[in-house]
Amino acid sequence: MTRVRVTAPRSVTSGSAASGSAALTGGRSAVASQEAAEESDAGQLFVRSLIRSQLRLGLVVALGFLLIMLAFPLVLGLVPGLAHSTIAGLPFDWVLLGAGIYPVIGLSAWLYVRTAARNEARYRDLAGDK
């Protein structure tokens, strides 16, 4: 089975002055340089590397999140009196799962976005886009 790359035809629109002037003067716009980088062997290697790093990042963040979520019931089961204690009239396990999960979600999301942006910036540097 062979792979076929389907692309849209390129046209210069009047709404995009920067890319239009770059196309008219023979300079390369950011889109053109990115596509040129993706078409070369090195560019394809960079794209595959970016995809692998983003997949690895997603798996690491998801695994870390799941491990933390599995630690909540383990802590409640292993510490004898913790499950029966109350905070402000609410059982501790409800407070832990209800209020403790949101900082974990926020931290996971923040780490993912920060690291994904860093991966993409590295790709842009390697591909030659500024």
Side-chain angles (χ1 to χ4, degrees):
M1 176 179 266
T2 61
R3 294 179 129 185
V4 177
R5 183 176 181 160
V6 178
T7 60
R10 295 184 199 185
S11 63
V12 178
T13 61
S14 62
S16 172
S19 65
S21 64
L24 291 175
T25 60
R28 288 175 38 176
S29 67
V31 173
S33 63
Q34 180 181 1
E35 288 177 358
E38 289 174 0
E39 290 174 2
S40 68
D41 289 337
Q44 289 176 358
L45 178 70
F46 293 153
V47 170
R48 282 194 306 268
S49 175
L50 174 65
I51 291 170
R52 275 195 312 269
S53 67
Q54 296 292 57
L55 175 63
R56 188 178 329 116
L57 171 63
L59 291 174
V60 166
V61 170
L63 182 64
F65 178 76
L66 288 175
L67 286 176
I68 291 172
M69 296 313 317
L70 288 174
F72 282 170
L74 285 176
V75 167
L76 291 174
L78 294 176
V79 178
L82 198 58
H84 301 293
S85 62
T86 60
I87 296 177
L90 294 172
F92 179 73
D93 52 354
W94 284 25
V95 172
L96 181 65
L97 292 175
I101 193 171
Y102 294 108
V104 172
I105 291 171
L107 180 65
S108 297
W110 178 74
L111 286 172
Y112 178 82
V113 168
R114 188 184 79 167
T115 310
R118 186 176 63 213
N119 287 344
E120 291 170 3
R122 286 179 182 165
Y123 166 74
R124 282 191 304 271
D125 288 344
L126 288 173
D129 293 341
K130 301 295 179 208

